[in-house]
Amino acid sequence: MKFCNFIISLSLSAGLLSGCSSGPGEWEDQRYATRMDAADSVFSLGYIQQARQHYADALERAFLIDDVQAIHDAGFNLATSELRLKDYQASLETLRRVSEALMVRGWTGGRQADLHLVRASVFYAQTYWQHAGDEAKLARTSPDDRIRFSAYALGGLAAAAQFDRAGLEEAITALAPSRNDKDQANLKELLTLRLILNRDWQPAAESAEGLVKIRREDMDYEAMRRALLLEAKALRAMGKEQAAGRVMQRFRDSARKQQTSL
């Protein structure tokens, strides 16, 4: 029973995974299930601190019952909650503990791809671009399209931050064939970054403005704020300081409210 919302960095913040709950007929410890259900409910309402505690309790229960799937799912959710709370060291420690437990139980390679994606998001949030890109590459080994496309998107963000045009183009090429709305939104962000790297400021500002609207309608507010920063950067480069200042005020207002809602 894995919570299905995942966050690219500031996000790992957007709904990147789907179809994560246990299938019908699968055995499940009831006390574990109750903790996970409670955590999922409060997480979906935005009460991340409460969800974190429930996921932590669920993880301890998963270890007690020695259920590898439960260890994976509770660990993934706990690390994601800690990322949302910007407790990066705690998230990395959770990922280390869970990864080691999974390896002992035979879960290696692509079966840990989503954990690599969370770890990449933690590194991206800390501006450790190279580490983020390396972990995103490991996440590409997933057999799950949603994880794989998300890994390419995050890898593209990390590449752009390092002015790595080849890495950015690789991510754009990988995302282009997908018709999924989330992938298309991520692709638009990467294309906007390419315009910025090329110093095509007017189309970059227009693209970022459109991306803000898309992210808001998707209720992906972390990604919306990234788009606001891109729009402000392009406007400033064109000498439109007042317009850039208004965009930055919108960014600050949203960021401040995000912190108070956790």
Short mmCIF file of all heavy atoms in Angstrom, two decimals, residues 186-233:
data_model
loop_
_atom_site.label_atom_id
_atom_site.label_comp_id
_atom_site.label_asym_id
_atom_site.label_seq_id
_atom_site.Cartn_x
_atom_site.Cartn_y
_atom_site.Cartn_z
N ASN A 186 6.03 18.26 -17.64
CA ASN A 186 7.47 18.20 -17.35
C ASN A 186 8.29 18.53 -18.58
O ASN A 186 9.32 19.20 -18.50
CB ASN A 186 7.83 16.81 -16.82
CG ASN A 186 7.30 16.55 -15.42
OD1 ASN A 186 7.04 17.49 -14.66
ND2 ASN A 186 7.11 15.29 -15.09
N LEU A 187 7.83 18.05 -19.74
CA LEU A 187 8.52 18.36 -20.99
C LEU A 187 8.50 19.86 -21.25
O LEU A 187 9.52 20.44 -21.66
CB LEU A 187 7.85 17.61 -22.15
CG LEU A 187 8.38 17.92 -23.55
CD1 LEU A 187 9.86 17.54 -23.67
CD2 LEU A 187 7.55 17.18 -24.61
N LYS A 188 7.38 20.50 -21.00
CA LYS A 188 7.29 21.96 -21.22
C LYS A 188 8.28 22.70 -20.32
O LYS A 188 8.89 23.69 -20.74
CB LYS A 188 5.86 22.44 -20.95
CG LYS A 188 5.64 23.92 -21.30
CD LYS A 188 4.18 24.29 -21.16
CE LYS A 188 3.96 25.76 -21.50
NZ LYS A 188 4.26 26.06 -22.93
N GLU A 189 8.46 22.21 -19.09
CA GLU A 189 9.43 22.85 -18.20
C GLU A 189 10.85 22.70 -18.75
O GLU A 189 11.63 23.66 -18.74
CB GLU A 189 9.35 22.24 -16.80
CG GLU A 189 10.30 22.89 -15.81
CD GLU A 189 10.04 22.49 -14.37
OE1 GLU A 189 9.15 21.65 -14.13
OE2 GLU A 189 10.72 23.04 -13.48
N LEU A 190 11.17 21.52 -19.26
CA LEU A 190 12.51 21.31 -19.83
C LEU A 190 12.71 22.16 -21.07
O LEU A 190 13.79 22.70 -21.30
CB LEU A 190 12.72 19.83 -20.14
CG LEU A 190 12.68 18.87 -18.95
CD1 LEU A 190 12.98 17.44 -19.42
CD2 LEU A 190 13.65 19.29 -17.86
N LEU A 191 11.67 22.29 -21.89
CA LEU A 191 11.77 23.13 -23.09
C LEU A 191 11.95 24.60 -22.70
O LEU A 191 12.67 25.35 -23.38
CB LEU A 191 10.53 22.95 -23.96
CG LEU A 191 10.39 21.58 -24.63
CD1 LEU A 191 9.02 21.46 -25.30
CD2 LEU A 191 11.51 21.35 -25.65
N THR A 192 11.30 25.01 -21.63
CA THR A 192 11.48 26.38 -21.14
C THR A 192 12.91 26.60 -20.67
O THR A 192 13.53 27.65 -20.95
CB THR A 192 10.50 26.67 -19.99
OG1 THR A 192 9.16 26.42 -20.42
CG2 THR A 192 10.62 28.12 -19.52
N LEU A 193 13.46 25.62 -19.99
CA LEU A 193 14.85 25.70 -19.55
C LEU A 193 15.80 25.77 -20.74
O LEU A 193 16.81 26.49 -20.70
CB LEU A 193 15.19 24.51 -18.66
CG LEU A 193 14.60 24.55 -17.25
CD1 LEU A 193 14.68 23.18 -16.59
CD2 LEU A 193 15.33 25.60 -16.40
N ARG A 194 15.49 25.04 -21.79
CA ARG A 194 16.33 25.12 -22.99
C ARG A 194 16.29 26.52 -23.59
O ARG A 194 17.32 27.05 -24.02
CB ARG A 194 15.88 24.09 -24.03
CG ARG A 194 16.76 24.10 -25.28
CD ARG A 194 16.51 22.89 -26.16
NE ARG A 194 15.19 22.93 -26.80
CZ ARG A 194 14.73 21.95 -27.60
NH1 ARG A 194 15.45 20.87 -27.82
NH2 ARG A 194 13.54 22.06 -28.13
N LEU A 195 15.11 27.14 -23.63
CA LEU A 195 15.00 28.51 -24.13
C LEU A 195 15.84 29.46 -23.28
O LEU A 195 16.49 30.37 -23.81
CB LEU A 195 13.53 28.96 -24.12
CG LEU A 195 12.62 28.30 -25.15
CD1 LEU A 195 11.16 28.63 -24.85
CD2 LEU A 195 12.99 28.75 -26.57
N ILE A 196 15.84 29.25 -21.97
CA ILE A 196 16.64 30.10 -21.08
C ILE A 196 18.13 29.90 -21.33
O ILE A 196 18.90 30.86 -21.38
CB ILE A 196 16.25 29.83 -19.62
CG1 ILE A 196 14.87 30.43 -19.33
CG2 ILE A 196 17.29 30.40 -18.66
CD1 ILE A 196 14.33 30.14 -17.95
N LEU A 197 18.54 28.65 -21.47
CA LEU A 197 19.95 28.40 -21.76
C LEU A 197 20.37 29.04 -23.09
O LEU A 197 21.51 29.48 -23.25
CB LEU A 197 20.22 26.90 -21.81
CG LEU A 197 20.21 26.15 -20.48
CD1 LEU A 197 20.51 24.67 -20.69
CD2 LEU A 197 21.23 26.75 -19.50
N ASN A 198 19.42 29.09 -24.02
CA ASN A 198 19.70 29.71 -25.33
C ASN A 198 19.52 31.22 -25.31
O ASN A 198 19.70 31.88 -26.34
CB ASN A 198 18.79 29.10 -26.41
CG ASN A 198 19.13 27.66 -26.71
OD1 ASN A 198 20.25 27.21 -26.45
ND2 ASN A 198 18.17 26.92 -27.24
N ARG A 199 19.14 31.77 -24.17
CA ARG A 199 18.90 33.21 -24.00
C ARG A 199 17.79 33.73 -24.91
O ARG A 199 17.81 34.89 -25.35
CB ARG A 199 20.20 34.00 -24.20
CG ARG A 199 21.28 33.65 -23.21
CD ARG A 199 22.56 34.42 -23.43
NE ARG A 199 23.56 34.10 -22.44
CZ ARG A 199 23.68 34.68 -21.25
NH1 ARG A 199 22.85 35.63 -20.91
NH2 ARG A 199 24.63 34.30 -20.40
N ASP A 200 16.82 32.88 -25.19
CA ASP A 200 15.64 33.29 -25.94
C ASP A 200 14.60 33.77 -24.93
O ASP A 200 13.64 33.06 -24.59
CB ASP A 200 15.09 32.12 -26.77
CG ASP A 200 16.03 31.70 -27.87
OD1 ASP A 200 16.82 32.55 -28.34
OD2 ASP A 200 15.98 30.52 -28.28
N TRP A 201 14.79 34.99 -24.43
CA TRP A 201 14.09 35.43 -23.24
C TRP A 201 12.59 35.62 -23.43
O TRP A 201 11.80 35.22 -22.56
CB TRP A 201 14.72 36.72 -22.72
CG TRP A 201 16.18 36.59 -22.41
CD1 TRP A 201 17.21 37.28 -22.98
CD2 TRP A 201 16.78 35.70 -21.45
NE1 TRP A 201 18.41 36.88 -22.45
CE2 TRP A 201 18.18 35.91 -21.50
CE3 TRP A 201 16.29 34.75 -20.56
CZ2 TRP A 201 19.07 35.22 -20.70
CZ3 TRP A 201 17.17 34.04 -19.76
CH2 TRP A 201 18.54 34.28 -19.83
N GLN A 202 12.17 36.20 -24.55
CA GLN A 202 10.74 36.44 -24.73
C GLN A 202 9.94 35.14 -24.82
O GLN A 202 8.97 34.96 -24.08
CB GLN A 202 10.49 37.29 -25.99
CG GLN A 202 9.03 37.65 -26.23
CD GLN A 202 8.44 38.52 -25.14
OE1 GLN A 202 9.07 39.49 -24.71
NE2 GLN A 202 7.24 38.17 -24.65
N PRO A 203 10.34 34.20 -25.70
CA PRO A 203 9.60 32.92 -25.71
C PRO A 203 9.74 32.15 -24.39
O PRO A 203 8.82 31.42 -24.00
CB PRO A 203 10.22 32.15 -26.88
CG PRO A 203 11.49 32.84 -27.19
CD PRO A 203 11.33 34.26 -26.79
N ALA A 204 10.86 32.33 -23.70
CA ALA A 204 11.03 31.66 -22.40
C ALA A 204 10.03 32.20 -21.39
O ALA A 204 9.41 31.43 -20.63
CB ALA A 204 12.45 31.85 -21.88
N ALA A 205 9.85 33.53 -21.37
CA ALA A 205 8.89 34.13 -20.44
C ALA A 205 7.47 33.67 -20.76
O ALA A 205 6.68 33.36 -19.85
CB ALA A 205 8.99 35.65 -20.51
N GLU A 206 7.13 33.63 -22.04
CA GLU A 206 5.79 33.19 -22.44
C GLU A 206 5.56 31.72 -22.10
O GLU A 206 4.48 31.34 -21.63
CB GLU A 206 5.61 33.44 -23.94
CG GLU A 206 5.61 34.91 -24.31
CD GLU A 206 5.65 35.14 -25.81
OE1 GLU A 206 5.73 34.12 -26.57
OE2 GLU A 206 5.60 36.30 -26.25
N SER A 207 6.58 30.90 -22.33
CA SER A 207 6.46 29.48 -22.02
C SER A 207 6.31 29.26 -20.52
O SER A 207 5.48 28.45 -20.07
CB SER A 207 7.69 28.72 -22.54
OG SER A 207 7.59 27.34 -22.28
N ALA A 208 7.09 29.99 -19.74
CA ALA A 208 7.01 29.86 -18.28
C ALA A 208 5.65 30.32 -17.76
O ALA A 208 5.08 29.69 -16.86
CB ALA A 208 8.13 30.66 -17.62
N GLU A 209 5.12 31.39 -18.35
CA GLU A 209 3.80 31.88 -17.94
C GLU A 209 2.72 30.82 -18.19
O GLU A 209 1.86 30.57 -17.34
CB GLU A 209 3.45 33.15 -18.71
CG GLU A 209 2.12 33.77 -18.30
CD GLU A 209 1.81 35.03 -19.09
OE1 GLU A 209 2.40 35.22 -20.18
OE2 GLU A 209 0.97 35.83 -18.63
N GLY A 210 2.80 30.16 -19.34
CA GLY A 210 1.86 29.08 -19.63
C GLY A 210 2.05 27.90 -18.70
O GLY A 210 1.08 27.25 -18.29
N LEU A 211 3.30 27.63 -18.35
CA LEU A 211 3.60 26.51 -17.45
C LEU A 211 3.06 26.77 -16.05
O LEU A 211 2.57 25.84 -15.38
CB LEU A 211 5.11 26.29 -17.39
CG LEU A 211 5.61 25.10 -16.57
CD1 LEU A 211 5.03 23.79 -17.09
CD2 LEU A 211 7.13 25.06 -16.59
N VAL A 212 3.10 28.01 -15.59
CA VAL A 212 2.53 28.36 -14.29
C VAL A 212 1.06 27.96 -14.24
O VAL A 212 0.58 27.35 -13.28
CB VAL A 212 2.68 29.87 -14.00
CG1 VAL A 212 1.85 30.27 -12.78
CG2 VAL A 212 4.14 30.24 -13.79
N LYS A 213 0.33 28.26 -15.30
CA LYS A 213 -1.10 27.95 -15.37
C LYS A 213 -1.33 26.44 -15.34
O LYS A 213 -2.20 25.93 -14.62
CB LYS A 213 -1.70 28.55 -16.63
CG LYS A 213 -3.20 28.34 -16.79
CD LYS A 213 -3.71 29.09 -18.02
CE LYS A 213 -5.23 28.95 -18.14
NZ LYS A 213 -5.64 27.56 -18.44
N ILE A 214 -0.53 25.70 -16.10
CA ILE A 214 -0.67 24.25 -16.15
C ILE A 214 -0.41 23.64 -14.79
O ILE A 214 -1.18 22.78 -14.31
CB ILE A 214 0.31 23.65 -17.18
CG1 ILE A 214 -0.12 24.05 -18.60
CG2 ILE A 214 0.38 22.14 -17.05
CD1 ILE A 214 0.92 23.72 -19.65
N ARG A 215 0.66 24.05 -14.14
CA ARG A 215 1.00 23.50 -12.83
C ARG A 215 -0.05 23.85 -11.78
O ARG A 215 -0.38 23.02 -10.92
CB ARG A 215 2.37 24.01 -12.39
CG ARG A 215 3.54 23.61 -13.28
CD ARG A 215 3.72 22.11 -13.37
NE ARG A 215 5.08 21.77 -13.80
CZ ARG A 215 5.50 20.55 -14.05
NH1 ARG A 215 4.67 19.53 -13.93
NH2 ARG A 215 6.75 20.32 -14.43
N ARG A 216 -0.59 25.05 -11.86
CA ARG A 216 -1.62 25.44 -10.90
C ARG A 216 -2.87 24.58 -11.08
O ARG A 216 -3.46 24.10 -10.11
CB ARG A 216 -1.98 26.92 -11.08
CG ARG A 216 -3.03 27.42 -10.08
CD ARG A 216 -3.50 28.82 -10.39
NE ARG A 216 -2.42 29.78 -10.40
CZ ARG A 216 -2.04 30.48 -11.48
NH1 ARG A 216 -2.63 30.27 -12.65
NH2 ARG A 216 -1.07 31.35 -11.39
N GLU A 217 -3.28 24.38 -12.32
CA GLU A 217 -4.46 23.58 -12.58
C GLU A 217 -4.26 22.12 -12.18
O GLU A 217 -5.22 21.44 -11.82
CB GLU A 217 -4.84 23.68 -14.07
CG GLU A 217 -5.35 25.06 -14.45
CD GLU A 217 -5.60 25.20 -15.95
OE1 GLU A 217 -5.23 24.27 -16.71
OE2 GLU A 217 -6.16 26.23 -16.35
N ASP A 218 -3.01 21.66 -12.23
CA ASP A 218 -2.69 20.30 -11.77
C ASP A 218 -2.54 20.23 -10.25
O ASP A 218 -2.30 19.15 -9.70
CB ASP A 218 -1.37 19.82 -12.41
CG ASP A 218 -1.53 19.50 -13.87
OD1 ASP A 218 -2.68 19.33 -14.32
OD2 ASP A 218 -0.50 19.41 -14.57
N MET A 219 -2.63 21.39 -9.59
CA MET A 219 -2.42 21.50 -8.13
C MET A 219 -1.02 21.04 -7.73
O MET A 219 -0.80 20.53 -6.63
CB MET A 219 -3.51 20.72 -7.37
CG MET A 219 -4.89 21.31 -7.56
SD MET A 219 -6.16 20.54 -6.52
CE MET A 219 -6.27 18.92 -7.30
N ASP A 220 -0.07 21.24 -8.64
CA ASP A 220 1.34 20.92 -8.38
C ASP A 220 2.04 22.23 -8.05
O ASP A 220 2.67 22.86 -8.89
CB ASP A 220 1.95 20.25 -9.61
CG ASP A 220 3.36 19.76 -9.38
OD1 ASP A 220 3.93 20.10 -8.33
OD2 ASP A 220 3.89 19.05 -10.24
N TYR A 221 1.91 22.65 -6.80
CA TYR A 221 2.30 24.01 -6.44
C TYR A 221 3.81 24.19 -6.30
O TYR A 221 4.32 25.30 -6.49
CB TYR A 221 1.56 24.44 -5.17
CG TYR A 221 0.06 24.35 -5.35
CD1 TYR A 221 -0.73 23.58 -4.50
CD2 TYR A 221 -0.57 24.99 -6.41
CE1 TYR A 221 -2.10 23.47 -4.69
CE2 TYR A 221 -1.93 24.90 -6.61
CZ TYR A 221 -2.70 24.14 -5.75
OH TYR A 221 -4.06 24.03 -5.96
N GLU A 222 4.52 23.13 -5.97
CA GLU A 222 5.98 23.22 -5.97
C GLU A 222 6.47 23.51 -7.38
O GLU A 222 7.31 24.39 -7.61
CB GLU A 222 6.59 21.92 -5.45
CG GLU A 222 6.39 21.67 -3.97
CD GLU A 222 7.36 22.44 -3.10
OE1 GLU A 222 8.20 23.17 -3.66
OE2 GLU A 222 7.27 22.33 -1.86
N ALA A 223 5.97 22.74 -8.34
CA ALA A 223 6.37 22.95 -9.73
C ALA A 223 5.87 24.30 -10.24
O ALA A 223 6.52 24.93 -11.08
CB ALA A 223 5.83 21.82 -10.60
N MET A 224 4.72 24.74 -9.77
CA MET A 224 4.22 26.07 -10.14
C MET A 224 5.21 27.15 -9.72
O MET A 224 5.50 28.09 -10.48
CB MET A 224 2.86 26.32 -9.49
CG MET A 224 2.25 27.68 -9.83
SD MET A 224 0.82 28.08 -8.78
CE MET A 224 1.66 28.56 -7.24
N ARG A 225 5.75 27.01 -8.51
CA ARG A 225 6.71 28.01 -8.04
C ARG A 225 8.02 27.96 -8.85
O ARG A 225 8.63 29.00 -9.09
CB ARG A 225 6.97 27.82 -6.55
CG ARG A 225 5.80 28.25 -5.68
CD ARG A 225 6.16 28.32 -4.21
NE ARG A 225 6.33 27.01 -3.63
CZ ARG A 225 5.34 26.26 -3.15
NH1 ARG A 225 4.11 26.69 -3.20
NH2 ARG A 225 5.58 25.08 -2.61
N ARG A 226 8.43 26.77 -9.27
CA ARG A 226 9.60 26.69 -10.16
C ARG A 226 9.34 27.47 -11.45
O ARG A 226 10.21 28.18 -11.95
CB ARG A 226 9.94 25.24 -10.49
CG ARG A 226 10.53 24.46 -9.36
CD ARG A 226 11.33 23.25 -9.85
NE ARG A 226 10.58 22.38 -10.73
CZ ARG A 226 9.81 21.36 -10.33
NH1 ARG A 226 9.68 21.13 -9.03
NH2 ARG A 226 9.19 20.59 -11.20
N ALA A 227 8.12 27.32 -11.98
CA ALA A 227 7.77 28.04 -13.21
C ALA A 227 7.75 29.54 -12.99
O ALA A 227 8.17 30.32 -13.87
CB ALA A 227 6.42 27.55 -13.72
N LEU A 228 7.29 29.98 -11.83
CA LEU A 228 7.30 31.41 -11.52
C LEU A 228 8.73 31.95 -11.50
O LEU A 228 9.00 33.06 -11.99
CB LEU A 228 6.62 31.67 -10.18
CG LEU A 228 5.09 31.57 -10.16
CD1 LEU A 228 4.59 31.56 -8.71
CD2 LEU A 228 4.46 32.71 -10.94
N LEU A 229 9.65 31.18 -10.95
CA LEU A 229 11.06 31.60 -10.93
C LEU A 229 11.62 31.71 -12.34
O LEU A 229 12.39 32.63 -12.64
CB LEU A 229 11.89 30.61 -10.10
CG LEU A 229 11.66 30.60 -8.60
CD1 LEU A 229 12.49 29.51 -7.94
CD2 LEU A 229 12.01 31.97 -7.99
N LEU A 230 11.25 30.76 -13.20
CA LEU A 230 11.72 30.82 -14.59
C LEU A 230 11.15 32.06 -15.29
O LEU A 230 11.86 32.74 -16.05
CB LEU A 230 11.31 29.55 -15.34
CG LEU A 230 11.95 28.25 -14.86
CD1 LEU A 230 11.44 27.07 -15.69
CD2 LEU A 230 13.47 28.32 -14.91
N GLU A 231 9.88 32.33 -15.06
CA GLU A 231 9.27 33.51 -15.68
C GLU A 231 9.95 34.79 -15.22
O GLU A 231 10.27 35.68 -16.03
CB GLU A 231 7.78 33.55 -15.35
CG GLU A 231 7.04 34.70 -16.03
CD GLU A 231 5.57 34.76 -15.68
OE1 GLU A 231 5.09 33.89 -14.91
OE2 GLU A 231 4.89 35.68 -16.18
N ALA A 232 10.20 34.89 -13.91
CA ALA A 232 10.86 36.09 -13.37
C ALA A 232 12.27 36.24 -13.94
O ALA A 232 12.70 37.36 -14.28
CB ALA A 232 10.92 36.01 -11.85
N LYS A 233 12.99 35.14 -14.07
CA LYS A 233 14.34 35.20 -14.62
C LYS A 233 14.33 35.72 -16.05
O LYS A 233 15.15 36.58 -16.41
CB LYS A 233 14.98 33.81 -14.58
CG LYS A 233 16.40 33.78 -15.11
CD LYS A 233 17.04 32.41 -14.90
CE LYS A 233 18.49 32.41 -15.36
NZ LYS A 233 19.16 31.13 -15.05
#
